[in-house]
Amino acid sequence: MKRIRTLLMAVALAPLSALAADYPNKDKPVTIVVPFAAGGPTDRVARDLAEAMRKPLGALSVVIDNVGGAGGTLGAAKAARSAPDGHTVFLHHIGMATSPALYRKLPYDTMGDFEYLGMVNDVPMTLIGRNTLPANNFKELQTWINANKGKINLGNAGLGAASHLCGLLFQSALKTDMTTVPYKGTAPAMNDLMGGQIDLMCDQTTNTTSQIEAKTIKAFAVTTQKRLTTPSLKDLPTLDESGLKGFEVTIWHGLYAPKGTPPDVLAKISNALKVALKDPEFIKKQQALGAVVVTDKRIEPAEHRKFVQAEIDKWGPIIKAAGVYAD
Ligand code: ASP
């Protein structure tokens, strides 16, 4: 009886093992879905990660599919509906945990539609403005904001984006309302900020550091609890020390696969991710952009899942208290 059951199990599991043994398919690229526009901060992390993961994964190539729009939720929905064969993975940030509170209805189930593969990094945000703003530090910016109530444009990557969350908390801390201008990602928003079409934005250092260094935009503060150590950012004050007590937003990225991806395939991807996170070249590139590569237990899929649940529990009440929803 036991032998029959073992045989039956072996037959049932055969397609899975065969899939894992053949994974990755030597003729097919592995695609990382990025839920924002090309050239932006999430895209930047994804492209560096793609390069670092290709070899340990043994993939033909690792390519990026930018699916921007609706604060990252369109990309998440596309990733959730992709074939669960390991050839599509999904990189997302804190929006994975904030969108469930920001949207009355999501086109996917955050905890139910994905396999959790491990976290990638933590990234601070910066409060930045167009170069022509008549303010050179946070205090002067506050004076300008107070003098221009109702006239200020704040760019973001749509409802559910990190820039949206940060901008929301910023407006609420200052008790002011700005006109938000949504883009498919902060790459196009950055173009408009540099061109002076919008006034302000919150964005990850992975997108802002090079512009701050090139002085094409102004930087006023960082959103982390402590000041940063990146040479070009270390003189920026925190928003907390600038008077917005308790202000703290750190963006994290994690890697996911569609629900139903076979366990052996998931293990292969997760192991390749771990190798990538120890790649000195990847670490160096991320550090130069102010990002900190994950080394703690969140590198493990189960801890990644727990962390996202904890973030959902943390941000839900904050967002509800702010009273903002998308439909
Ligand atoms: N920084 C963007 C955000 O606000 C996303 C992006 O374009 O990568 O979520």
Side-chain angles (χ1 to χ4, degrees):
M1 186 60 194
K2 198 171 164 213
R3 207 176 117 74
I4 293 175
R5 208 181 302 136
T6 314
L7 270 174
L8 283 175
M9 270 176 64
V11 171
L13 288 174
L16 276 191
S17 324
L19 186 58
D22 294 347
Y23 176 82
N25 185 321
K26 296 290 173 268
D27 303 320
K28 205 174 164 186
V30 170
T31 299
I32 303 181
V33 174
V34 170
F36 297 105
T42 313
D43 180 70
R44 179 67 194 258
V45 173
R47 281 174 204 268
D48 288 351
L49 190 65
E51 215 180 301
M53 280 183 74
R54 193 188 62 77
K55 251 202 192 154
L57 202 52
L60 167 75
S61 59
V62 181
V63 300
I64 308 297
D65 181 16
N66 295 97
V67 189
T73 58
L74 295 184
K78 179 172 180 187
R81 287 192 298 267
S82 299
D85 62 2
H87 287 92
T88 303
V89 291
F90 175 50
L91 182 85
H92 199 6
H93 61 30
I94 190 172
M96 197 74 176
T98 53
S99 292
L102 284 164
Y103 283 79
R104 289 179 208 275
K105 202 169 176 302
L106 278 176
Y108 59 89
D109 175 355
T110 307
M111 301 311 293
D113 284 351
F114 296 96
E115 308 286 356
Y116 286 61
L117 290 162
M119 304 265 305
V120 179
N121 63 8
D122 292 299
V123 190
M125 295 193 101
T126 41
L127 175 67
I128 51 175
R130 62 177 158 85
N131 250 351
T132 46
L133 277 185
N136 288 313
N137 54 46
F138 187 75
K139 206 161 178 266
E140 289 175 10
L141 178 71
Q142 241 179 322
T143 309
W144 178 79
I145 289 173
N146 288 335
N148 287 279
K149 286 208 159 131
K151 290 189 235 158
I152 298 171
N153 291 321
L154 180 69
N156 69 28
L159 255 136
S163 45
H164 169 246
L165 174 74
C166 179
L168 200 83
L169 298 174
F170 183 59
Q171 291 174 82
S172 136
L174 287 184
K175 298 189 180 34
T176 187
D177 278 333
M178 300 177 186
T179 306
T180 45
V181 187
Y183 295 81
K184 283 197 172 172
T186 42
M190 179 65 87
N191 284 340
D192 276 8
L193 190 74
M194 290 193 292
Q197 283 93 339
I198 53 172
D199 300 312
L200 292 171
M201 184 161 73
C202 261
D203 201 14
Q204 285 103 304
T205 55
T206 30
N207 198 33
T208 63
T209 306
S210 47
Q211 302 305 342
I212 293 169
E213 286 168 357
K215 297 195 186 328
T216 55
I217 52 170
K218 286 185 178 178
F220 297 102
V222 292
T223 64
T224 37
Q225 221 172 30
K226 287 193 192 139
R227 286 193 182 205
L228 305 180
T229 52
T230 313
S232 54
L233 307 172
K234 69 177 177 16
D235 292 331
L236 287 174
T238 67
L239 280 170
D240 178 87
E241 75 181 81
S242 304
L244 306 190
K245 286 283 157 236
F247 196 109
E248 199 208 339
V249 188
T250 298
I251 304 314
W252 43 264
H253 292 89
L255 197 66
Y256 308 82
K259 185 82 191 166
T261 305
D264 293 11
V265 172
L266 292 175
K268 279 192 178 177
I269 307 172
S270 190
N271 287 336
L273 172 63
K274 283 182 190 147
V275 174
L277 299 190
K278 295 211 167 73
D279 178 338
E281 206 35 49
F282 178 71
I283 296 171
K284 206 168 105 194
K285 281 187 199 163
Q286 294 293 296
Q287 272 172 351
L289 297 172
V292 182
V293 174
V294 164
T295 53
D296 56 57
K297 59 184 185 176
R298 294 174 301 161
I299 209 165
E300 297 299 337
E303 293 295 332
H304 174 199
R305 176 178 273 278
K306 267 195 219 159
F307 178 77
V308 173
Q309 185 60 63
E311 285 282 284
I312 291 176
D313 297 343
K314 169 184 160 180
W315 287 105
I318 299 173
I319 291 165
K320 286 210 171 78
V324 276
Y325 296 102
D327 285 315

